[in-house]
Amino acid sequence: MEEKFIKQISLFAENKPGRLANIASSFKEASVNIRAFTIAEAGDFGIIRMVVDKPEQAHRVLHDAGFTVSETDVLGIQMEDVPGQLATISEVLGKKGVNIDYAYAFVTKTEKAFLIIRVNDLNTAVETLCDEGIPLLDMNDVQNI
Amino acid sequence: MIEYWNPQIERMPLDELELIQEERLRHLVDYVYTHSPFYKKRFDEAGVKPEDIKTLDDLQKLPFTYKKDLRDNYPKGMFCVPDTQLVRYHVSSGTTGKPTVVGYTKNDIHEWAKSLGRALTSIGVGRGDVLQVSYGYGLFTGGLGLHYGAEEVGSTVLPISVGNTDKQLELMQDLGTTTLACTPSYFLYMTEEANDKGIDFQKDTGLKTGIFGAEPWTEEMRKRMEDATGIKAYDVFGTSELSGPLFTECTCQDGIHIWGDQFIVEIIDPETGETLPEGEKGELVITTLTKEALPLIRYRIGDYTILNKQPCECGRTHPRIMRVTGRVDDMLIIRGINVFPGQVESVLMKIPEVGEHFMIHVDRINEMDTMKIQIEMNDEAFSDKVNDIIFLEKKVASALKSVLNLSVGVELVENGTLPRSIGKSKKVIDNRKL
């Protein structure tokens, strides 16, 4: 089951100029490539969430740069880039009582779409999606996107 | 390990101790009246003669001495001995005004060392201990004070002074430091640096005891320090005007023993100057009984505390002052409500998600006082859900409100951004233009 979890890097950043530049340049030096990225902003601060090709390295450089950073298990769902896909996924999870805490999506070169979600019950979510034949990404896939 | 440095004095019944105090007080009043033009004038103005002072109760007839008196008589106008008898000067930092100068005779230095010798023994520090003195040396009294006290009891002193944290951590390990003396904020800084270097205080050092003071800190902070490092943390008390660091808690950690044969303690109402009964909170006032160069009569220390004369479990009879909860001049008045930085610290340190550092900002916006507290978060407490963080800010604000009776803004900032300090830390920025 756990091989289907994706390590997401999350960090706390004050909402002020230059913070993102600092993070990005740490990654540049460490050759960490960002696959998916989002900022949730809440007034004075923001939480930056991202999926990267080398999560351990990313965690270390951000921690060494003084950031409060954590690793969260999320799921990466592969979707066909056509209407109705998101509806299907959210419906099957909803029926099993799995709540999506947050989600973000991106489209790749291969004309697939990927949806990253954090859920309140990872195991049930993986089980449900597998039963429905909905493909999930693992860390290898993330590295090769 | 020895239990008492001077068992006969330290365990003396309180009434016998008070007889010593009474006799020394009579002698002191004669001494300052004869040797200090300042005190002669002060006593004359108050209409009190040395012969009016017969018992300890008569102490209340004597006028107070203030820090301002030391400043007005800068540098040596209050000294009672000729310069030839002085063996040392210490000078305060002057952070809150003109510096004050304290002079010492040979006997003053000895009495000072004796006071700390008793204190160190009471926390189990003595021969065989390596005491790393990370208080500043030089004009500041902290370094040399602890230094002489440690030598008095036969500990090995590492006089490293403050700063150069890499060296501090290296020597702590290489020389087997058992006891560390520094400001609580410097200790916090040291533990952060140690963490970054992968040094574990419990596994990699032999540190057992910390002697922390020179700035107010709280019971909650003690718990955090002890839990994080496995040491016992003790509060030390003193001020440069009295000598420097003089007293610590004993292993019972239930108040600081003030040696009654050397000092008389009173607690007064800071407004009216009236002496308060034992157990009531008020301003600390100390009279020095054995000092020769610069004795002080009823010196207003400016710290809020409580006097406790009940017998201590350690067997010492000397009166205790309970943890200093703030200074009279640290008090902030926000919309008419009195707030001490120590209250804020004690609320914050009870919340596990909150880190060790904080800063209080006070502003006046549209004729209204506002108080905002910046905090850092413990790494382990970080959640990547926005709601959890907003909830933490609200939780802190509501805990503060229930203690301070005041609405407080709480702002979470990135770790490492609040100022760290190696000396006395500054926890309040008051931008009000009054």
Side-chain angles (χ1 to χ4, degrees):
Chain A
M1 186 91 44
E2 276 180 27
E3 70 274 5
K4 290 294 175 195
F5 298 169
I6 290 178
K7 299 266 173 248
Q8 174 193 261
I9 300 295
S10 315
L11 68 93
F12 176 86
E14 279 174 62
N15 193 0
K16 59 186 185 194
R19 302 314 290 147
L20 191 54
N22 193 349
I23 296 160
S25 63
S26 307
F27 277 7
K28 186 181 167 191
E29 276 163 41
S31 303
V32 171
N33 206 348
I34 300 172
R35 297 303 188 199
F37 180 94
T38 174
I39 300 179
E41 69 91 25
D44 292 336
F45 68 89
I47 292 175
I48 297 176
R49 303 171 187 135
M50 51 206 160
V51 173
V52 300
D53 58 347
K54 296 176 207 138
E56 272 164 33
Q57 210 157 331
H59 190 285
R60 200 181 58 242
V61 295
L62 290 174
H63 182 265
D64 290 351
F67 285 100
T68 300
V69 44
S70 72
E71 253 180 26
T72 314
D73 286 329
V74 295
L75 298 178
I77 302 167
Q78 186 182 307
M79 305 185 288
E80 294 302 321
D81 191 9
V82 294
Q85 287 281 293
L86 184 58
T88 312
I89 292 162
S90 42
E91 218 172 272
V92 297
L93 291 174
K95 272 187 190 155
K96 292 282 182 178
V98 175
N99 188 50
I100 299 174
D101 293 329
Y102 55 74
Y104 49 108
F106 60 106
V107 178
T108 70
K109 297 180 277 217
T110 56
E111 292 176 5
K112 299 276 183 198
F114 289 113
L115 178 69
I116 308 283
I117 57 171
R118 177 174 168 168
V119 292
N120 63 343
D121 182 348
L122 272 168
N123 291 330
T124 312
V126 172
E127 234 173 70
T128 311
L129 293 167
C130 287
D131 289 351
E132 296 287 333
I134 297 170
L136 286 168
L137 300 178
D138 58 25
M139 277 318 288
N140 269 334
D141 300 326
V142 168
Q143 273 151 17
N144 298 322
I145 290 170
Chain B
M1 197 173 69
I2 55 169
E3 223 177 323
Y4 304 97
W5 188 242
N6 185 339
Q8 194 217 333
I9 289 281
E10 290 170 52
R11 308 184 63 171
M12 178 176 278
L14 204 54
D15 48 355
E16 282 178 43
L17 191 61
E18 284 177 350
L19 288 178
I20 295 182
Q21 290 187 323
E22 220 158 64
E23 198 201 314
R24 289 193 172 168
L25 177 65
R26 282 194 294 265
H27 171 260
L28 172 75
V29 172
D30 268 335
Y31 177 77
V32 297
Y33 197 77
T34 330
H35 291 86
S36 158
F38 165 82
Y39 273 118
K40 180 171 188 308
K41 186 161 170 272
R42 189 50 69 89
F43 286 6
D44 288 346
E45 278 165 6
V48 50
K49 296 276 168 222
E51 52 270 28
D52 298 335
I53 308 303
K54 295 187 180 73
T55 71
L56 282 181
D57 290 338
D58 295 328
L59 184 61
Q60 290 179 43
K61 296 178 185 162
L62 294 169
F64 293 115
T65 308
Y66 299 86
K67 189 162 197 156
K68 184 176 181 302
D69 296 324
L70 287 158
R71 287 182 181 146
D72 291 349
N73 292 281
Y74 177 89
K76 294 185 286 182
M78 288 173 69
F79 285 22
C80 289
V81 296
D83 287 359
T84 49
Q85 284 193 41
L86 296 174
V87 299
R88 199 192 298 166
Y89 292 120
H90 278 286
V91 183
S92 76
S93 56
T95 38
T96 55
K98 203 169 181 176
T100 53
V101 177
V102 177
Y104 304 77
T105 65
K106 199 169 180 178
N107 193 52
D108 288 339
I109 299 280
H110 178 62
E111 287 287 317
W112 183 10
K114 196 163 85 180
S115 173
L116 270 173
R118 291 181 194 169
L120 290 172
T121 308
S122 81
I123 54 172
V125 174
R127 199 166 289 279
D129 277 299
V130 177
L131 206 164
Q132 183 162 337
V133 180
S134 310
Y135 281 115
Y137 276 68
L139 290 178
F140 177 62
T141 52
L144 282 163
L146 260 303
H147 184 110
Y148 275 63
E151 286 188 349
E152 173 87 5
V153 295
S155 299
T156 312
V157 185
L158 179 58
I160 189 164
S161 193
V162 74
N164 201 351
T165 309
D166 284 354
K167 192 89 182 167
Q168 301 262 4
L169 293 168
E170 188 187 330
L171 290 180
M172 183 183 290
Q173 296 177 82
D174 294 348
L175 297 176
T177 299
T178 60
T179 310
L180 175 68
C182 62
T183 58
S185 44
Y186 189 44
F187 183 64
L188 289 176
Y189 181 74
M190 262 192 213
T191 52
E192 279 189 347
E193 292 287 297
N195 269 338
D196 285 351
K197 291 189 182 351
I199 300 169
D200 181 332
F201 267 86
Q202 304 200 38
K203 281 199 217 115
D204 304 329
T205 77
L207 202 64
K208 294 179 303 190
T209 310
I211 300 168
F212 302 126
E215 63 184 19
W217 55 299
T218 57
E219 210 45 49
E220 289 74 18
M221 183 64 93
R222 157 148 59 206
K223 188 160 184 328
R224 285 210 173 192
M225 288 170 156
E226 291 188 342
D227 289 350
T229 60
I231 67 167
K232 281 276 173 199
Y234 295 103
D235 199 7
V236 55
F237 179 79
T239 85
S240 60
E241 303 89 273
L242 292 179
S243 270
L246 280 159
F247 319 106
T248 68
E249 301 170 298
C250 61
T251 46
C252 301
Q253 292 183 323
D254 188 24
I256 292 171
H257 288 279
I258 307 286
W259 311 119
D261 54 323
Q262 294 178 313
F263 300 89
I264 299 177
V265 183
E266 294 170 90
I267 301 294
I268 62 158
D269 178 332
E271 303 284 321
T272 64
E274 270 169 46
T275 305
L276 296 172
E278 184 194 343
E280 273 190 45
K281 185 170 161 181
E283 185 184 348
L284 179 62
V285 172
I286 291 187
T287 298
T288 67
L289 290 175
T290 57
K291 284 190 77 181
E292 294 174 341
L294 180 58
L296 294 171
I297 308 272
R298 302 194 84 199
Y299 185 68
R300 303 270 299 243
I301 302 285
D303 287 326
Y304 273 114
T305 185
I306 293 168
L307 184 63
N308 181 357
K309 290 186 177 175
Q310 302 311 307
C312 182
E313 274 180 38
C314 73
R316 289 172 182 80
T317 49
H318 293 238
R320 284 170 285 165
I321 54 167
M322 306 322 279
R323 184 178 278 277
V324 168
T325 49
R327 287 189 54 77
V328 174
D329 47 11
D330 273 350
M331 189 175 78
L332 291 162
I333 302 176
I334 316 274
R335 279 177 258 154
I337 296 172
N338 299 344
V339 175
F340 290 98
Q343 288 177 294
V344 172
E345 180 180 298
S346 98
V347 171
L348 295 179
M349 293 307 116
K350 277 185 201 147
I351 302 172
E353 296 94 320
V354 176
E356 272 74 32
H357 302 274
F358 67 94
M359 182 64 83
I360 301 171
H361 294 262
V362 185
D363 283 283
R364 179 157 287 181
I365 299 166
N366 300 330
E367 297 305 304
M368 181 83 138
D369 293 335
T370 62
M371 188 161 119
K372 184 178 79 179
I373 310 223
Q374 289 182 315
I375 53 169
E376 293 178 6
M377 181 175 27
N378 273 328
D379 276 356
E380 310 83 67
F382 172 57
S383 150
D384 73 335
K385 290 201 262 179
V386 174
N387 274 349
D388 290 349
I389 304 220
I390 293 174
F391 178 76
L392 173 62
E393 286 182 342
K394 282 189 181 152
K395 177 174 163 184
V396 173
S398 106
L400 286 166
K401 176 153 193 192
S402 70
V403 171
L404 307 178
N405 203 16
L406 192 72
S407 289
V408 178
V410 174
E411 186 190 352
L412 190 62
V413 298
E414 282 172 30
N415 281 1
T417 54
L418 293 176
R420 270 57 173 161
S421 120
I422 58 172
K424 297 189 184 204
S425 63
K426 184 172 164 57
K427 298 205 167 103
V428 180
I429 296 174
D430 193 340
N431 290 316
R432 288 176 296 184
K433 307 254 181 307
L434 301 178

